[in-house]
Amino acid sequence: MPKVNISELALRDAHQSLLATRMRLADMLPICPKLDAIGYWSLECWGGATFDACLRFLKEDPWERLRLLREALPNTRLQMLLRGQNLLGYRHYSDDVVRAFVARAAANGMDVFRIFDALNDLRNLVTAIEATKEADKHAQGTICYTLSPVHDAGGYVKMGRELAAMGCDSIAVKDMAGLLTPYAASELVKALKDAVDLPLHLHSHATAGLAEMCHLKAIEAGCEHIDTAISSMAGGTSHSPTESMVAALRETPYDTGLDLEKIQEIGIYFYQIRKRYHQFESEFTGVDTRVQVNQVPGGMISNLAHQLKEQNALDRMEEVLAEIPRVRADLGYPPLVTPTSQIVGTQAVLNVLTGKRYQTITNEVKRYLQGGYGRAPAPVDDKLQRQAIGNEELIECRPADLLHAEMERLAADIGKLATSDEDVLTYAMFPEIGHSFLEHRAAGTLEPEPLEPPSSTVDDNRTAPTEFN
Amino acid sequence: MPKVNISELALRDAHQSLLATRMRLADMLPICPKLDAIGYWSLECWGGATFDACLRFLKEDPWERLRLLREALPNTRLQMLLRGQNLLGYRHYSDDVVRAFVARAAANGMDVFRIFDALNDLRNLVTAIEATKEADKHAQGTICYTLSPVHDAGGYVKMGRELAAMGCDSIAVKDMAGLLTPYAASELVKALKDAVDLPLHLHSHATAGLAEMCHLKAIEAGCEHIDTAISSMAGGTSHSPTESMVAALRETPYDTGLDLEKIQEIGIYFYQIRKRYHQFESEFTGVDTRVQVNQVPGGMISNLAHQLKEQNALDRMEEVLAEIPRVRADLGYPPLVTPTSQIVGTQAVLNVLTGKRYQTITNEVKRYLQGGYGRAPAPVDDKLQRQAIGNEELIECRPADLLHAEMERLAADIGKLATSDEDVLTYAMFPEIGHSFLEHRAAGTLEPEPLEPPSSTVDDNRTAPTEFN
Ligand SMILES: [Co+2]
Ligand SMILES: [Co+2]
């Protein structure tokens, strides 16, 4: 019985973090027999941005991807990332859509549902957790880790207790920005293990180069599950290398029991596969510790750079980086994760470029201040809230409580283009690109975006003896 | 007073590991004021392969590089890597050359001499350590870490005690291959700290993705000094990112006391500088855990691939990898580091390609078996030794004891081309390329190898929202 269990992220988070979520099913299936033989606790392979990328760029049916992965991986748990009441889309859905989505994902082969909410508002997790348990699947309640004056280990422990009470089978600590440090990880894990009698999963991005150390200290503190990515898809904005963690723990009380040599073969496979996606490599996926100073995730900085460049205002970056924590404070310190990272970032850019804070307020910030995303971790700025929503009513309940059942309407809307509940859900997640996908599918005109040919192989320039010292 | 001290490797080991040692002085000097203000315990900036690369490719006088770095870094210890009696060349030198070299290095500004021998034969360190102490500089005795049936913590502790008795000011554990694992590092450090009352430095390459964890566990076990490389020159065959280690230790009992934001500015500088050397980037510098299975350093595997490719025998790689441990056993388990990595690797290739083991024996293996490099960690294969050296006498003494003083002869040989003792030493280290360098210098025709223009900047292909989760 291994003491530490590994969830491998190669098929979802790793390529989402490094290759703009572009890995195709055709490049996954050939390695599935080897992946399935390793003995990973789970393979994360769906959710996050994969659904979007499948429809938008790859012209793959995400449900078909799930079914084929299920077939190719009969012995390993499949895991997905689910944004609570947002599912895989960018708005809150009515409960009947959430239930249908979870039920269909389960029926198509999903085993483990990692469910989170960007605000850590647990009301936004209730329906998805219930639906997962109804489908007799593994519900993993997720704590989004962040730093702020209102976040501390005590608050996370309270969340952990509530997730346990909600019927979760395990708890995940999700450090999407690489904010965790090793000794903070150790303390948090100890506190959670003391309070909650559930298996604990740590998901810490390697953005700041701290993930391996965080995992090691978490394991020493009692964490039994870590998330890693095969080495050729690891590091930087991705995750700790699987092989390195397996090697680090071998012949210790924390031994994973996995065969390092067999995992290395998988690493070599993805090393070659990654080359096919060279056009999606980015300069901004390397180790970047700035998040440890300003709490702005590295990936968010590159998005901001993009936004500023389009406005010919790249020189305002420092001001924007200084404005982000202020906007975040005004909004009651939301963790910065999809969609709050975009909400905060865009407003901060506006605040800087217009020269007057909140002269323009985005619709998303307005909805946020109104309570449309749920409850902020701390009270939002009162004056700003009044300015933004005027006389409109505050939403104090769970936002989805205001939504009527919508599966029937969605099915009617999409009509014959949908040949299954799954298709209706595809349309529900992405009304425009989902519709277009189903249309092209019906017409037989689906065409994935082209891949650039490989760049010429670099010759080895090292004519002097290579030294090791 | 910081609890953990950092030696920054950006100016030597990092570009040696990632960019074939090609970084030029002109790209170092502009950042020196910032480097000098950080408060690093030392800046490694000379030795290893830098001397060779300066003369061979960059047409820089390595002594001039040292003097200019000294001037630009008045507040920080300068550190070099010295191969014991080999100095920076590829043979054993007579003691008068060793003494002259260390004295001139000290006079030109070197503060810390990290001195190692590929076989861990301490007799090969004696003269360099003595010379360092005579120059009133810091002598750091080095333990080359390896794994074998004859290497264990007890043996390393014995070495540590002997290095202390020889007058060393500190001890370095040098894990050039990335073989160390976190808990092995912890045990080794504890054993050494228990036995030897000297500061301990850990130098662990990140080849296998374990270096950060090794450093962390070493620190917890009492190691006060770690070697790191600025993040934009870190990872893989290089080292743990400086910023990440500083961030990991902040606000803990191990705090380095260094300013993370200031170090980040240095990281951004080297991020830009690295692009100028893109032609020297290699496919083989990423995380590679194979060393944890077969003990063959990743960088050595890429050298072997090169050798085999030239012989149209890349398909024999598996056999060569299996042969290496056998050759190493025959040779009494030398650590694999310059020059033993080449000696073992080349013989293993021959053993496989000729179809008969030791049908051909290289001159280097012959010299090795004769004792020409010093004492092997364990007895070498008796039969092989007799086959290789025939009736020639075994060298049981320190190899340099058989060498006559040679500075005078060297000075006479190079004649007027040398205008200083430093020039004579340049010629001593590299008779051919040193001579050619001095000749071109005299003629005013030194010309560095050209750098390829930067490749076009990659456009950001990510049109879909980037998600953090
Ligand atoms: Co090194
Ligand atoms: Co993630």
Side-chain angles (χ1 to χ4, degrees):
Chain A
M1 191 52 196
K3 297 287 174 48
V4 169
N5 302 285
I6 301 268
S7 291
E8 169 62 50
L9 306 171
L11 305 181
R12 202 281 298 179
D13 201 342
H15 71 104
Q16 179 174 326
S17 298
L18 299 175
L19 301 173
T21 331
R22 291 309 211 286
M23 196 181 287
R24 300 171 182 205
L25 181 63
D27 287 330
M28 300 175 182
L29 291 176
I31 197 67
C32 280
K34 287 192 179 181
L35 283 168
D36 200 37
I38 294 298
Y40 295 119
W41 187 82
S42 69
L43 275 159
E44 196 198 29
C45 62
W46 217 59
T50 60
F51 209 96
D52 185 339
C54 274
L55 297 170
R56 193 189 298 260
F57 302 112
L58 312 182
K59 306 307 174 191
E60 284 184 29
D61 184 336
W63 298 96
E64 181 70 3
R65 175 183 286 202
L66 173 55
R67 285 189 292 272
L68 291 173
L69 286 173
R70 172 74 291 166
E71 226 170 82
L73 295 159
N75 301 303
T76 311
R77 286 179 195 86
L78 300 187
Q79 180 170 329
M80 78 170 293
L81 182 67
L82 194 72
R83 291 195 281 267
Q85 205 74 21
N86 283 12
L87 298 172
L88 302 182
Y90 298 102
R91 65 169 178 95
H92 281 228
Y93 291 93
S94 63
D95 286 336
D96 68 325
V97 176
V98 173
R99 288 180 195 283
F101 189 92
V102 171
R104 294 324 301 156
N108 281 279
M110 191 52 60
D111 296 302
V112 180
F113 293 75
R114 175 174 289 171
I115 306 166
F116 79 97
D117 176 68
L119 296 179
N120 281 333
D121 183 344
L122 297 187
R123 301 173 306 171
N124 293 332
L125 305 188
V126 173
T127 306
I129 292 172
E130 279 178 11
T132 303
K133 295 317 299 169
E134 274 159 29
D136 224 8
K137 300 297 182 183
H138 185 113
Q140 186 169 94
T142 304
I143 297 167
C144 290
Y145 181 78
T146 190
L147 292 174
S148 87
V150 301
H151 286 89
D152 59 14
Y156 295 128
V157 165
K158 184 164 165 284
M159 261 193 89
R161 283 208 180 97
E162 288 166 1
L163 289 167
M166 288 160 76
C168 288
D169 299 291
S170 62
I171 308 261
V173 171
K174 179 183 183 60
D175 172 32
M176 52 280 167
L179 273 171
L180 257 184
T181 59
Y183 295 97
S186 174
E187 272 180 49
L188 177 57
V189 168
K190 266 183 217 152
L192 280 167
K193 292 304 294 180
D194 276 353
V196 186
D197 192 23
L198 284 180
L200 187 61
H201 294 244
L202 179 58
H203 178 89
S204 182
H205 280 258
T207 318
L210 300 173
E212 295 89 339
M213 293 182 279
C214 289
H215 284 114
L216 195 74
K217 294 309 293 179
I219 287 165
E220 289 182 356
C223 180
E224 313 92 339
H225 292 265
I226 62 172
D227 281 17
T228 64
I230 197 78
S231 61
S232 41
M233 298 286 294
T237 50
S238 179
H239 289 267
S240 304
T242 306
E243 300 95 308
S244 306
M245 295 310 299
V246 168
L249 301 172
R250 274 199 306 176
E251 292 162 40
T252 77
Y254 315 113
D255 201 326
T256 63
L258 304 186
D259 184 328
L260 184 53
E261 275 189 86
K262 288 197 177 142
I263 304 178
Q264 286 171 348
E265 292 172 22
I266 295 169
I268 289 167
Y269 174 83
F270 281 108
Y271 184 83
Q272 296 303 334
I273 290 297
R274 183 167 175 173
K275 292 182 187 173
R276 299 195 192 171
Y277 299 94
H278 65 96
Q279 75 199 81
F280 304 108
E281 297 278 356
S282 149
E283 290 200 68
F284 303 105
T285 55
V287 167
D288 183 345
T289 56
R290 282 177 294 178
V291 70
Q292 291 283 331
V293 169
N294 58 22
Q295 273 118 64
V296 181
M300 194 173 156
I301 298 179
S302 64
N303 271 12
L304 293 168
H306 204 77
Q307 274 180 269
L308 288 172
K309 209 169 161 188
E310 279 179 356
Q311 308 282 326
N312 252 324
L314 207 48
D315 57 322
R316 314 291 297 272
M317 180 61 102
E318 287 306 311
E319 291 166 79
V320 171
L321 289 179
E323 176 65 6
I324 283 172
R326 288 193 289 261
V327 172
R328 192 168 164 242
D330 293 339
L331 299 189
Y333 300 105
L336 296 178
V337 61
T338 302
T340 42
S341 49
Q342 287 92 325
I343 294 174
V344 171
T346 305
Q347 187 64 52
V349 168
L350 279 174
N351 284 1
V352 167
L353 293 193
T354 62
K356 190 166 172 242
R357 306 187 73 219
Y358 304 111
Q359 181 179 319
T360 308
I361 295 179
T362 67
N363 288 333
E364 288 73 22
V365 167
K366 189 188 155 189
R367 186 183 314 146
Y368 179 102
L369 289 166
Q370 193 167 12
Y373 293 92
R375 194 185 293 126
V380 302
D381 185 85
D382 214 40
K383 207 175 126 226
L384 176 62
Q385 191 181 42
R386 262 175 293 136
Q387 177 194 338
I389 69 172
N391 292 328
E392 290 181 48
E393 217 170 322
L394 261 181
I395 299 169
E396 310 228 30
C397 64
R398 183 184 73 123
D401 285 336
L402 303 176
L403 300 174
H404 297 291
E406 47 186 341
M407 272 302 278
E408 268 184 42
R409 177 190 59 76
L410 288 162
D413 267 13
I414 189 68
K416 285 192 179 150
L417 283 179
T419 62
S420 64
D421 282 358
E422 285 82 352
D423 288 346
V424 176
L425 290 162
T426 294
Y427 169 64
M429 293 305 104
F430 298 97
E432 276 177 46
I433 61 163
H435 189 282
S436 156
F437 174 86
L438 295 171
E439 224 167 35
H440 280 285
R441 189 183 67 179
T445 53
L446 286 175
E447 201 161 333
E449 65 180 347
L451 289 179
E452 287 171 14
S455 48
S456 62
T457 20
V458 186
D459 239 352
D460 199 340
N461 276 288
R462 296 192 287 180
T463 48
T466 305
E467 305 202 356
F468 311 103
N469 46 56
Chain B
M1 191 53 198
K3 296 287 174 51
V4 169
N5 302 284
I6 301 268
S7 291
E8 168 61 51
L9 306 171
L11 305 181
R12 201 282 299 179
D13 201 344
H15 70 103
Q16 178 175 327
S17 297
L18 299 175
L19 302 173
T21 332
R22 291 310 212 287
M23 196 181 286
R24 300 173 183 204
L25 180 64
D27 287 330
M28 300 175 182
L29 290 175
I31 197 66
C32 280
K34 287 194 178 179
L35 283 168
D36 200 36
I38 295 298
Y40 295 119
W41 188 83
S42 68
L43 275 159
E44 197 199 30
C45 62
W46 216 58
T50 60
F51 209 97
D52 185 338
C54 275
L55 297 170
R56 194 189 297 259
F57 302 112
L58 312 182
K59 307 306 173 188
E60 283 184 28
D61 185 337
W63 298 96
E64 181 71 3
R65 175 183 286 202
L66 172 55
R67 284 188 292 271
L68 291 172
L69 286 173
R70 173 74 292 165
E71 226 170 82
L73 296 159
N75 300 304
T76 311
R77 287 179 195 87
L78 300 187
Q79 181 170 329
M80 77 170 294
L81 182 66
L82 195 71
R83 291 195 281 269
Q85 205 75 22
N86 283 11
L87 298 172
L88 302 181
Y90 298 102
R91 67 170 178 95
H92 281 228
Y93 292 93
S94 64
D95 285 337
D96 68 324
V97 176
V98 173
R99 287 181 196 284
F101 189 92
V102 171
R104 294 324 301 157
N108 281 279
M110 191 51 59
D111 296 303
V112 181
F113 293 75
R114 175 174 290 172
I115 306 166
F116 79 99
D117 176 68
L119 297 178
N120 281 333
D121 182 345
L122 297 186
R123 300 173 307 170
N124 293 331
L125 305 188
V126 173
T127 306
I129 292 172
E130 279 179 12
T132 304
K133 296 316 299 171
E134 272 158 30
D136 226 7
K137 299 298 181 184
H138 185 114
Q140 187 169 94
T142 306
I143 296 168
C144 290
Y145 180 77
T146 190
L147 292 174
S148 87
V150 301
H151 287 90
D152 60 14
Y156 294 128
V157 165
K158 185 164 163 283
M159 262 193 88
R161 284 208 179 96
E162 287 166 1
L163 289 167
M166 287 160 76
C168 287
D169 299 292
S170 61
I171 308 262
V173 171
K174 178 180 183 60
D175 172 31
M176 53 279 166
L179 273 171
L180 257 183
T181 59
Y183 296 97
S186 174
E187 273 181 49
L188 178 57
V189 167
K190 267 183 215 150
L192 280 166
K193 292 304 293 180
D194 277 353
V196 185
D197 192 23
L198 285 180
L200 187 62
H201 294 244
L202 180 57
H203 178 87
S204 183
H205 281 258
T207 318
L210 300 173
E212 294 89 340
M213 295 183 278
C214 289
H215 284 114
L216 195 74
K217 294 309 293 180
I219 287 165
E220 290 182 356
C223 180
E224 313 92 340
H225 292 265
I226 62 172
D227 281 18
T228 64
I230 196 80
S231 62
S232 41
M233 297 287 294
T237 51
S238 178
H239 289 266
S240 305
T242 306
E243 300 95 310
S244 306
M245 296 308 301
V246 168
L249 301 172
R250 275 200 305 178
E251 292 162 40
T252 77
Y254 315 114
D255 201 328
T256 64
L258 304 186
D259 184 327
L260 184 53
E261 276 190 86
K262 287 198 175 139
I263 304 178
Q264 287 171 347
E265 293 172 21
I266 294 169
I268 289 166
Y269 175 83
F270 281 108
Y271 184 83
Q272 296 302 334
I273 290 296
R274 182 167 175 172
K275 292 183 187 172
R276 298 195 193 171
Y277 298 94
H278 64 97
Q279 74 199 82
F280 303 108
E281 297 278 358
S282 150
E283 289 200 70
F284 303 104
T285 55
V287 167
D288 182 346
T289 55
R290 283 177 294 177
V291 71
Q292 291 284 331
V293 168
N294 58 22
Q295 272 117 64
V296 182
M300 195 173 153
I301 298 180
S302 64
N303 272 11
L304 292 168
H306 203 77
Q307 276 180 267
L308 288 172
K309 209 169 163 188
E310 281 181 354
Q311 308 281 326
N312 251 324
L314 208 49
D315 56 321
R316 312 293 296 273
M317 180 61 102
E318 288 307 311
E319 292 166 78
V320 171
L321 290 178
E323 176 65 6
I324 284 171
R326 289 195 288 261
V327 172
R328 194 169 162 240
D330 294 338
L331 300 189
Y333 299 106
L336 295 177
V337 61
T338 302
T340 42
S341 49
Q342 288 93 324
I343 294 174
V344 170
T346 305
Q347 187 63 53
V349 168
L350 278 175
N351 285 0
V352 167
L353 293 193
T354 62
K356 192 167 170 241
R357 304 186 73 220
Y358 302 114
Q359 181 178 319
T360 307
I361 296 177
T362 67
N363 288 334
E364 288 74 20
V365 168
K366 189 189 153 186
R367 187 184 313 145
Y368 179 100
L369 288 166
Q370 194 167 14
Y373 292 93
R375 194 187 292 127
V380 301
D381 185 85
D382 213 40
K383 207 177 126 222
L384 176 62
Q385 191 182 40
R386 263 176 290 138
Q387 178 195 337
I389 70 171
N391 292 326
E392 289 181 49
E393 218 170 323
L394 262 180
I395 299 168
E396 310 228 31
C397 64
R398 183 183 73 122
D401 284 338
L402 304 175
L403 300 174
H404 296 290
E406 48 186 340
M407 273 301 279
E408 268 182 42
R409 177 188 62 75
L410 289 161
D413 268 14
I414 190 68
K416 285 192 179 152
L417 284 178
T419 62
S420 64
D421 282 358
E422 285 81 353
D423 288 346
V424 176
L425 290 161
T426 295
Y427 170 63
M429 292 305 104
F430 299 96
E432 276 176 47
I433 61 164
H435 189 280
S436 156
F437 174 86
L438 294 171
E439 222 166 35
H440 281 286
R441 189 184 67 180
T445 54
L446 286 175
E447 201 162 331
E449 64 181 349
L451 288 179
E452 286 171 14
S455 48
S456 63
T457 19
V458 187
D459 238 354
D460 200 340
N461 276 288
R462 298 191 287 180
T463 48
T466 304
E467 303 202 356
F468 310 103
N469 48 54

